[in-house]
Amino acid sequence: MAGARASAPGKVILFGEHAVVYGEPAIAVALSLRTEVTIREGGDQHRVNGAPMTPYHHAFIKDAVEGLWKGGGPLDIRTDSRVPSASGLGSSAALSVATTACLLQMLGQFGEERCAREAYAAEVSAQKARGSPTDTSTVTHGRAVLVDREKGPGFLWDIARGERRWFLHHVEMPPLTLVIGNSMQRGRTSEEVAKVGRFVKKTGFAREVIRDLGKITREAVELIQDREKLALGVKMDEAHDLLTILGVSTPKLNDMCAAAREHAYGAKLTGSGGGGSMIALTDTPEPCAKAIAKKGGVPIVVQLGGAGVSASSL
Ligand code: PMV
């Protein structure tokens, strides 16, 4: 009986979350924390970790299976994730991508670009068509990815949804140390994206904030290449303030960022917000992590730029 195993990393968005949904650029980086998925054919119905697959409990897996395994027999799906869920660290993208990679491997069709496209299609269907392909493409390609509205150096692939089209690029990332602080408050990407969507629809002011976030990301791309950590930290603080204006930060994330800044070049929330995580750029991760923990966050020190998805047959 056919089967496959795949592994995909979590990610953090360094710059550009939310703004990327409206065509502004974003930079995201893969983590060393990973999600493993194993799929075997067999059984009486599709099962995930032994339980029947349901749309409520297994939205991302179900949409990947329904997209790719049409008319195929029952599957026994096992997942094992080191990426904390609902924390802005790409857990759902890692799950979608690893599941998609397994299915493509079983169909003899696995490849990076195909995997990124199919996993994004599964996320769009699970999240009711709201987000950008930033997470799924970063988790697929690994290392660091720049999402932009036009083709540039390091171009990987482009992905469209409705009127919007995103161009994904590989970017070289110098070895930077980040401390991630998980607020342990659940953030729901689709709700935060929808909330920003309502704000953007109602006011020109919100659209201006989105454009300012885009400008910061473009400046950050240059600063990353030049390893200008001091200036990058300033951009992170500015981006956090703008995301706060958009209404996606929380008092706890603000406290964690303020405490981390005492030992860091800068700090900001990462991902959709509404809970989830923040990141701090620092050369002194230990005191920075302690300061985050003092505010009730769970710190993780990470080196950026983990490998992308991998898949093999069983
Ligand atoms: O919460 P996360 O880690 O899934 O990040 C979502 C990033 C957003 O820009 C808010 C939405 C998107 O799809 O790009």
Side-chain angles (χ1 to χ4, degrees):
M1 240 174 285
R5 174 173 296 137
S7 158
K11 67 93 208 24
V12 284
I13 297 182
L14 292 186
F15 289 96
E17 48 276 269
H18 288 290
V20 70
V21 176
Y22 304 92
E24 297 295 339
I27 314 167
V29 184
L31 299 175
S32 46
L33 305 166
R34 298 182 76 87
T35 294
E36 318 273 338
V37 173
T38 308
I39 303 184
R40 287 185 173 83
E41 276 187 275
D44 55 339
Q45 58 177 306
H46 294 324
R47 287 181 180 273
V48 180
N49 298 323
M53 184 169 82
T54 71
Y56 182 74
H57 292 103
H58 313 116
F60 292 96
I61 295 177
K62 186 168 178 292
D63 286 313
V65 169
E66 282 175 359
L68 285 168
W69 199 248
K70 293 185 191 92
L75 297 173
D76 179 23
I77 301 165
R78 304 272 156 180
T79 69
D80 178 14
S81 184
R82 301 286 134 90
V83 188
S85 67
S87 53
L89 302 179
S91 61
S92 54
L95 194 58
S96 300
V97 167
T99 306
T100 301
C102 269
L103 294 169
L104 288 174
Q105 180 74 19
M106 288 164 76
L107 295 165
Q109 297 171 16
F110 176 69
E112 243 193 32
E113 181 175 343
R114 177 84 196 280
C115 184
R117 281 185 196 290
E118 299 290 351
Y120 178 59
E123 271 216 345
V124 164
S125 147
Q127 290 184 346
K128 312 283 178 284
R130 286 199 180 109
S132 75
T134 309
D135 285 18
T136 37
S137 282
T138 305
V139 162
T140 301
H141 178 65
R143 294 158 283 172
V145 167
L146 169 71
V147 189
D148 212 342
R149 68 177 89 188
E150 51 200 40
K151 209 171 178 172
F155 173 71
L156 294 168
W157 50 74
D158 60 316
I159 295 187
R161 169 171 65 72
E163 309 262 284
R164 295 233 176 266
R165 187 157 179 198
W166 293 269
F167 293 82
L168 290 299
H169 304 81
H170 169 81
V171 276
E172 286 304 322
M173 182 63 54
L176 295 176
T177 305
L178 279 191
V179 182
I180 298 173
N182 186 346
S183 71
M184 302 306 281
Q185 293 172 330
R186 281 182 84 82
R188 291 192 195 278
T189 304
S190 55
E191 281 171 26
E192 297 306 309
V193 171
K195 187 167 79 185
V196 173
R198 291 196 294 278
F199 194 17
V200 165
K201 215 168 169 187
K202 279 202 178 107
T203 74
F205 173 67
R207 292 192 287 277
E208 218 175 278
V209 172
I210 294 283
R211 280 195 294 276
D212 288 349
L213 280 165
K215 187 163 169 277
I216 289 179
T217 304
R218 277 185 280 275
E219 290 163 351
V221 174
E222 307 278 313
L223 294 170
I224 287 172
Q225 305 308 329
D226 299 342
R227 302 182 185 212
E228 293 279 356
K229 291 194 239 177
L230 261 172
L232 261 180
V234 173
K235 295 292 158 205
M236 289 171 79
D237 294 351
E238 285 174 15
H240 182 80
D241 289 345
L242 291 174
L243 289 163
T244 306
I245 292 171
L246 281 185
V248 297
S249 191
T250 63
K252 188 165 178 183
L253 284 169
N254 293 343
D255 280 356
M256 288 162 64
C257 285
R261 284 184 193 122
E262 300 291 320
H263 308 277
Y265 295 107
K268 62 182 277 293
L269 70 83
T270 182
S272 60
S277 300
M278 47 72 66
I279 49 175
L281 177 65
T282 181
D283 289 335
T284 52
E286 271 154 42
C288 184
K290 273 196 188 133
I292 290 169
K294 256 194 176 162
K295 296 292 173 186
V298 176
I300 320 172
V301 179
V302 289
Q303 295 295 328
L304 299 181
V309 69
S310 61
S312 56
S313 299
L314 292 176

